[in-house]
């Protein structure tokens, strides 16, 4: 005997064996006409879909247990998009990526949600994480760097990195440059074990670098420039053996540079600039970074001498140690850096003579030694630098004359020598470009611009 309406359960009252199953994997506009059976009437699936869309994600999930049909509706990507459009802030709901979802096919709809995922409030991320998890696990690149508001405003979106980010298991690139992020770097990022590039520069991040980042064994690039990160630089970063670029500039790091960073033998670019509470010596272990092309430690409070081990970095193209409190002499072995094009040692406490071995760096284009305590004569060997464009020795204790050999430097466009009271003589002939030559402190010279062309 068949059950009477009063004997039927909630699930039986909504769906019978004759009710057609809706095809909910298609985009919203492509839903096929279907109905949900009940003892009272047959309600079109589209209407049920629309009613549920008006319920906030926090509460709508409870209806999944009513019957299989409702569960199928609520766990579809189409419903996720539609529900979000009703409850997101206007700045997101009206964005073209959401407004155009009804005109997109399934693949484009999934991609749009992936692109906007990090812009969703954390509640939404938790709610819909299970719905699109199969697609999240396939995503390899996620970025918001080029994302702009629908109204053309330049004000960045403010987001929060939630633990749900860990669902993107195959993510290799996460780029959020210039996206305003609330709070600290979440430890859950360490679960993205396939991550190779993490770009979080200019994101207004605070807090410390989580040591758990050392678990990202495939990481090749870590960009954390221009945030409000503080505390010590974790020595655990030295475990990231595949790292090729590390940029920790313009933050509030304190303490000393970890010796462990010298273990990053694949590192090509190391920038740790403008952390005014970063003290101590330059680790001698940096001499092990034999692949290093660019080393910039400017604008810190580093002390001690320039390590002789840095002279082993034969591939170095740019060395910037300016704006620190380095002492001692410029190493004679500096001339061994044959690939060096930019050498900035200005605004330190360096002493002694300018080594003539600098004239052996044939490719050198900029030599900035201003604001130190260097003394003695300008070495004539610098005249061999045929590609040198800028020579700056201002505010030192250099004496004697400007060597006539400097006239052979055909590429020289700027020669700065002011603030050296004992320097005398004239600008050598043969310098083809316009050279600025000034010395306010000396009675022998007045400001002049010399053009030898």
């Amino acid at each position: 005997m068949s059950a009477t309406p009063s004997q039927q359960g909630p699930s039986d009252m909504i769906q019978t064996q004759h009710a057609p199953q809706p095809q909910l994997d298609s985009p919203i506009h492509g839903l096929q006409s279907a109905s949900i059976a009940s003892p009272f009437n047959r309600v079109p699936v589209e209407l049920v879909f629309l009613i549920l869309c008006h319920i906030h994600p926090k509460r709508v999930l409870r209806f999944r247990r009513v019957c299989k049909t409702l569960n199928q509706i609520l766990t579809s990507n189409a419903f996720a998009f539609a529900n979000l459009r009703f409850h997101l802030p206007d700045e997101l709901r009206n964005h073209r990526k959401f407004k155009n979802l009804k005109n997109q096919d399934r693949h484009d709809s999934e991609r749009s949600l992936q692109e906007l995922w990090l812009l969703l409030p954390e509640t939404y991320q938790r709610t819909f994480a299970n719905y699109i998890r199969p697609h999240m696990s396939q995503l390899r690149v996620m970025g918001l760097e080029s994302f702009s508001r629908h109204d053309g405003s330049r004000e960045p979106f403010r987001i929060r990195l939630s633990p749900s980010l860990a669902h993107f298991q195959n993510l290799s690139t996460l780029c959020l440059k210039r996206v305003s992020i609330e709070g600290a770097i979440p430890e859950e990022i360490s679960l993205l074990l396939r991550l190779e590039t993490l770009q979080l520069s200019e994101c207004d991040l605070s807090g410390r670098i989580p040591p758990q980042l050392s678990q990202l064994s495939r990481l090749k690039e870590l960009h954390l420039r221009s945030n409000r990160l503080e505390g010590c630089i974790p020595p655990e970063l030295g475990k990231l053996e595949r790292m090729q670029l590390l940029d920790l500039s313009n933050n509030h790091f304190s303490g000393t540079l970890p010796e462990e960073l010298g273990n990053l033998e694949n590192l090509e670019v190391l920038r740790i600039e403008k952390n005014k509470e970063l003290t101590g010596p330059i680790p001698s272990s940096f001499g092990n970074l034999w692949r290093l092309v660019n080393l910039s430690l400017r604008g810190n409070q580093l002390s001690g001498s320039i390590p002789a081990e840095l002279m082993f970095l034969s591939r170095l193209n740019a060395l910037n140690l300016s704006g620190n409190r380095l002492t001692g002499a410029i190493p004679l072995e500096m001339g061994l850096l044959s690939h060096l094009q930019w050498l900035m040692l200005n605004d330190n406490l360096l002493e002694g003579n300018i080594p003539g071995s600098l004239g052996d760096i044939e490719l050198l284009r900029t030599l900035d030694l201003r604001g130190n305590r260097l003394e003695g004569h300008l070495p004539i060997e610098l005249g061999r630098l045929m590609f040198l464009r800028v020579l700056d020795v201002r505010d030192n204790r250099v004496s004697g004359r400007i060597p006539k050999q400097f006239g052979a430097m055909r590429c020289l466009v700027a020669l700065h020598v002011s603030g050296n009271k004992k320097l005398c003589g004239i600008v050598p002939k043969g310098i083809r470009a316009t050279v600025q030559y000034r010395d306010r402190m000396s009675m022998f010279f007045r400001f002049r611009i010399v053009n030898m062309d």
Side-chain angles (χ1 to χ4, degrees):
M1 181 180 296
S2 60
T4 63
S6 61
Q7 295 174 321
Q8 293 177 337
S11 179
D12 299 321
M13 294 175 64
I14 295 179
Q15 183 178 13
T16 68
Q17 61 182 351
H18 303 292
Q21 296 296 320
Q23 302 297 319
L24 293 172
D25 286 332
S26 59
I28 297 171
H29 71 284
L31 282 173
Q32 297 182 2
S33 178
S35 301
I36 296 179
S38 77
F40 307 102
N41 56 9
R42 296 177 64 84
V43 182
V45 167
E46 289 84 351
L47 180 57
V48 177
F49 188 101
L50 185 60
I51 293 172
L52 293 175
C53 283
H54 285 81
I55 304 175
H56 194 275
K58 282 186 176 180
R59 297 184 295 274
V60 73
L61 289 183
R62 69 183 65 175
F63 296 102
R64 291 178 54 188
R65 300 179 181 179
V66 174
C67 67
K68 294 181 179 179
T69 302
L70 290 185
N71 180 69
Q72 190 178 6
I73 292 175
L74 293 172
T75 56
S76 66
N77 284 337
F79 177 80
F81 296 136
N83 186 257
L84 290 173
R85 282 205 301 272
F86 279 105
H87 298 283
L88 283 179
D90 290 342
E91 62 183 11
L92 291 178
R93 185 172 63 248
N94 295 327
H95 196 278
R96 57 181 175 80
K97 287 185 179 295
F98 277 103
K99 293 176 70 175
N100 294 338
L101 281 176
K102 63 182 180 180
N103 299 320
Q104 295 179 347
D105 59 25
R106 175 179 176 180
H107 176 74
D108 289 338
S109 296
E110 293 165 355
R111 185 173 57 191
S112 292
L113 184 56
Q114 292 164 356
E115 290 176 353
L116 294 170
W117 179 258
L118 293 173
L119 295 176
L120 304 180
E122 188 172 353
T123 300
Y124 291 77
Q125 292 183 6
R126 290 197 305 265
T127 301
F128 293 107
N130 290 328
Y131 296 172
I132 65 168
R133 182 173 295 177
H135 310 293
M136 295 167 74
S137 63
Q138 297 171 12
L139 190 67
R140 293 187 56 81
V141 178
M142 175 183 283
L144 290 175
E145 184 176 3
S146 59
F147 191 88
S148 59
R149 293 179 182 269
H150 70 280
D151 58 3
S153 172
R154 293 187 178 182
E155 182 181 355
F157 283 104
R158 192 161 185 83
I159 69 173
R160 186 177 186 86
L161 295 178
S162 75
S164 63
L165 187 65
H167 292 303
F168 294 87
Q169 290 295 316
N170 284 319
L171 204 64
S172 64
T173 299
L174 177 60
C175 182
L176 302 177
K177 186 176 182 180
R178 298 191 185 97
V179 175
S180 186
I181 301 176
E182 298 179 359
I185 303 172
E187 296 179 3
E188 287 75 13
I189 285 185
S190 63
L191 300 177
L192 304 176
L193 299 180
R194 296 181 181 272
L195 201 63
E196 296 181 3
T197 299
L198 180 57
Q199 170 57 276
L200 298 176
S201 296
E202 302 176 52
C203 291
D204 202 30
L205 286 164
S206 57
R208 298 171 178 261
I209 298 178
Q212 291 83 353
L213 290 186
S214 62
Q215 299 175 22
L216 301 176
S217 59
R218 299 191 181 188
L219 198 63
K220 295 180 180 179
E221 296 186 16
L222 178 58
H223 304 259
L224 297 176
R225 186 183 188 93
S226 299
N227 285 290
R228 294 184 291 115
L229 299 171
E230 58 187 8
C232 296
I233 298 174
E236 289 83 357
L237 295 182
K239 298 178 181 179
L240 300 173
E241 297 179 354
R242 299 189 184 185
M243 185 79 75
Q244 297 176 4
L245 185 151
L246 176 60
D247 192 346
L248 306 178
S249 303
N250 199 17
N251 281 283
H252 305 297
F253 293 118
S254 57
T256 60
L257 293 173
E259 287 276 352
E260 289 80 358
L261 295 183
N263 297 329
L264 305 176
E265 295 188 358
N266 287 302
L267 203 62
E268 298 178 5
V269 178
L270 176 59
R271 299 193 189 101
I272 309 179
E273 308 172 346
K274 296 184 179 180
N275 290 275
K276 295 183 179 180
E277 298 182 17
L278 203 57
T279 60
I282 300 174
S284 59
S285 63
F286 282 12
N288 299 328
L289 306 176
W290 62 277
R291 292 181 183 269
L292 209 59
V293 174
N294 188 317
L295 174 60
S296 183
L297 304 175
R298 68 185 178 98
N300 300 302
Q301 292 292 317
L302 302 178
S303 58
S305 59
I306 300 175
E309 288 80 2
L310 294 186
M311 307 310 119
F312 300 150
L313 305 178
S314 59
R315 300 187 182 186
L316 209 57
N317 181 267
L319 176 60
N320 193 339
L321 305 179
S322 62
N324 285 286
R325 301 185 61 81
L326 299 175
T327 56
I330 299 175
L332 296 176
E333 297 82 2
M334 191 76 75
L336 299 176
L337 301 177
S338 57
H339 289 86
L340 207 60
Q341 297 186 39
W342 293 274
L343 177 58
M344 282 75 73
L345 303 177
N346 52 287
D347 300 312
N348 279 288
L349 303 173
L350 298 173
E351 301 174 333
N353 296 330
I354 300 174
S357 59
L358 296 180
D360 297 331
I361 311 176
E362 298 180 355
L363 301 178
L364 200 61
R365 298 187 179 190
T366 297
L367 177 57
D368 194 344
L369 304 175
R370 71 180 186 274
N372 282 289
R373 300 173 180 176
L374 300 172
E375 56 189 11
H377 298 274
L378 290 173
I380 61 175
E381 291 86 352
L382 297 183
R384 300 200 299 260
L385 300 174
M386 294 295 101
F387 297 101
L388 194 67
R389 296 177 58 83
V390 178
L391 175 58
D392 197 339
V393 293
R394 284 175 289 180
D395 300 321
N396 279 285
R397 301 170 184 175
V398 178
S399 59
R401 296 178 175 270
I402 300 176
K404 63 180 181 179
Q405 287 83 354
F406 283 17
M409 295 189 289
R410 303 300 185 182
C411 293
L412 196 66
V413 296
L415 173 61
H416 301 286
V417 296
S418 64
N420 291 280
K421 297 181 180 181
K422 298 182 180 181
L423 193 65
C424 58
I426 61 174
V427 178
K429 294 181 179 181
I431 298 178
R432 298 174 56 189
T434 300
V435 176
Q436 293 184 3
Y437 179 85
R438 73 175 85 184
D439 193 327
R440 300 190 186 97
M441 305 299 295
S442 175
M443 60 179 294
F444 299 103
F445 304 111
R446 295 180 180 177
F447 173 76
R448 68 179 73 173
I449 297 178
V450 181
N451 192 339
M452 308 305 292
D453 285 336

